[in-house]
Amino acid sequence: MARTGYTLPVFAVAAAKAALVHLQNSDHSLPSVELDLLPGNADIPVHQVATLETTSALAVTLSDPGDNLDLTRNTPVWAWVKISHRQDQALILEAGVGVGKTIMGEAAIYDYARRLFDANLLPLIPADQTVTVQIILPDGRELAKRTSNEAFGILNGLSLLGTSGISQPMSAADHLEEFRADLQQKASKHPNLVFCLGSNGQQVAQRLSIPEEVIVTTGNWLGALLVEAGLYNAQSVLLIGYQGKLIKLAGGIFNTSSHLADAKLEIIASAVIETGGDIQAAQAVLQAPTADAAHKTLIELRLADTVFRALAEKISHKAEIYVKKYANVSVQVGVILFDRKGLLISQDGKATELLEKIQMLR
């Protein structure tokens, strides 16, 4: 059984809570803290905590994503906490060293992380005080170089991102039931769902102002979860994913794990021929080392827009047929494709309509 862990925001909040409790009672250094908004009894170990001045303290936790392949494993997460007289806000969050900032200079601390901070710290803050929390990731800048954060407009560090506090091995078969349970819960409240492939898909969804309550994590299990959406009366599913993963559906491959099947270059090459390209263009695609390189080749040949629009349409069509075949219901499927840098490269005709419906929930 693969072991689940927690996402980075959880350890940031745990460190902040430990530092605040220590400030309020210096004789009470917590070996762990329990956090609200997490399932079960979520006790997060506290590695170190110390008072710096009479009004400030520092606590350290270590990131543990479970068996997920996550580059933040064992990363120190520091929280510097300072108490002052009440200002406009009871709780102020700051991005310290290693926590990224957007191009506009805002801290890359997103909705779920902020809700987690609010739920766990606000009840501890007296009415006449303000608590300032600065999150510091000493290894954050170096780790960020191994991610696509900069392409998403997040500079100089990692983001506190996520729609859940639980970190799950996305490819593990024993987690399919958890994905299904999440989908069932969301489908019971929202008829129009969004399937996001990977953390990059979630970042694109946030940029598109898609509310978290309709986002479904799929791992590689797109086929099974599309059918599940149909069985639980979803009216539509908007698929948002990296083109090198999502275009596999255009070839009838509904589990996107590269260990099971690939054929992405062959699928793109086929689309080149189907849209009127010549054999030389198809051969150039087949010789490309990656799907992104194939896309760049088609840009140079002025074929990219036509080819990837056709692929998005085919993904939509094949997905709708797949749901009809196995669930015997009709579900409208829209498709948005992006590249490795998170730049949108194509979408089918249904995507705009579905996106407008979903954004209205904001």
Side-chain angles (χ1 to χ4, degrees), residues 315-352:
I315 293 166
S316 170
H317 180 63
K318 291 247 183 180
E320 290 178 355
I321 290 175
Y322 191 90
V323 175
K324 183 67 175 177
K325 178 179 179 180
Y326 291 105
N328 196 30
V329 295
S330 296
V331 174
Q332 188 177 28
V333 179
V335 177
I336 294 177
L337 301 172
F338 60 83
D339 65 14
R340 274 289 184 210
K341 293 183 178 180
L343 300 176
L344 302 186
I345 60 175
S346 192
Q347 61 187 53
D348 78 314
K350 299 168 188 172
T352 300

Side-chain angles (χ1 to χ4, degrees), residues 77-278:
V77 182
W78 298 6
W80 173 82
V81 173
K82 181 178 178 61
I83 295 175
S84 60
H85 293 297
R86 175 57 66 98
Q87 303 173 37
D88 291 339
Q89 299 170 263
L91 178 61
I92 299 172
L93 300 179
E94 298 179 348
V97 172
V99 176
K101 293 186 177 181
T102 68
I103 294 173
M104 302 302 292
E106 298 173 347
I109 303 174
Y110 291 98
D111 289 348
Y112 175 77
R114 290 182 182 276
R115 287 194 286 114
L116 202 60
F117 274 109
D118 287 350
N120 288 280
L121 298 189
L122 286 178
L124 303 178
I125 302 173
D128 61 343
Q129 293 181 349
T130 284
V131 168
T132 300
V133 176
Q134 184 177 106
I135 300 301
I136 300 165
L137 301 175
D139 302 329
R141 287 185 175 176
E142 286 302 311
L143 291 174
K145 295 176 182 178
R146 297 162 56 189
T147 74
S148 54
N149 277 10
E150 190 168 332
F152 285 88
I154 300 170
L155 309 176
N156 297 321
L158 299 173
S159 58
L160 298 186
L161 174 73
T163 59
S164 167
I166 305 301
S167 175
Q168 300 172 323
M170 293 303 170
S171 300
D174 50 356
H175 285 290
L176 177 57
E177 291 305 311
E178 295 176 34
F179 301 155
R180 290 178 63 203
D182 178 56
L183 183 150
Q184 291 166 17
Q185 185 269 330
K186 289 174 178 173
S188 69
K189 299 178 181 178
H190 302 285
N192 303 300
L193 301 175
V194 177
F195 284 10
C196 289
L197 276 70
S199 59
N200 283 357
Q202 291 183 0
Q203 288 178 316
V204 170
Q206 288 195 339
R207 284 196 350 238
L208 294 172
S209 299
I210 294 173
E212 294 178 5
E213 59 263 30
V214 301
I215 294 176
V216 175
T217 302
T218 64
N220 289 309
W221 303 95
L222 279 170
L225 293 173
L226 279 166
V227 171
E228 196 79 5
L231 292 173
Y232 280 85
N233 302 315
Q235 294 176 9
S236 72
V237 174
L238 178 60
L239 301 176
I240 300 179
Y242 166 57
Q243 58 99 349
K245 276 275 192 182
L246 201 47
I247 61 172
K248 293 181 182 182
L249 275 65
I253 300 169
F254 281 84
N255 185 315
T256 58
S257 171
S258 58
H259 297 294
L260 296 181
D262 195 347
K264 54 183 175 287
L265 295 178
E266 290 79 2
I267 292 168
I268 298 173
S270 175
V272 168
I273 300 299
E274 288 177 354
T275 55
D278 58 26

Side-chain angles (χ1 to χ4, degrees), residues 11 14-16 18-19 30-31 44-50 57-63 75-80 136 138:
F11 297 98
L30 299 174
I44 310 301
V46 178
H47 188 63
Q48 292 176 320
V49 61
L58 180 73
V60 180
T61 57
L62 298 177
S63 173
T75 295
V77 182
W78 298 6
W80 173 82
I136 300 165

Side-chain angles (χ1 to χ4, degrees), residues 4-44:
T4 60
Y6 295 101
T7 56
L8 203 56
V10 170
F11 297 98
V13 174
K17 185 173 182 178
L20 179 56
V21 171
H22 184 72
L23 266 179
Q24 293 171 336
N25 183 358
S26 60
D27 295 329
H28 188 45
S29 294
L30 299 174
S32 65
V33 292
E34 185 171 334
L35 298 186
D36 293 330
L37 290 190
L38 292 174
N41 296 318
D43 284 319
I44 310 301

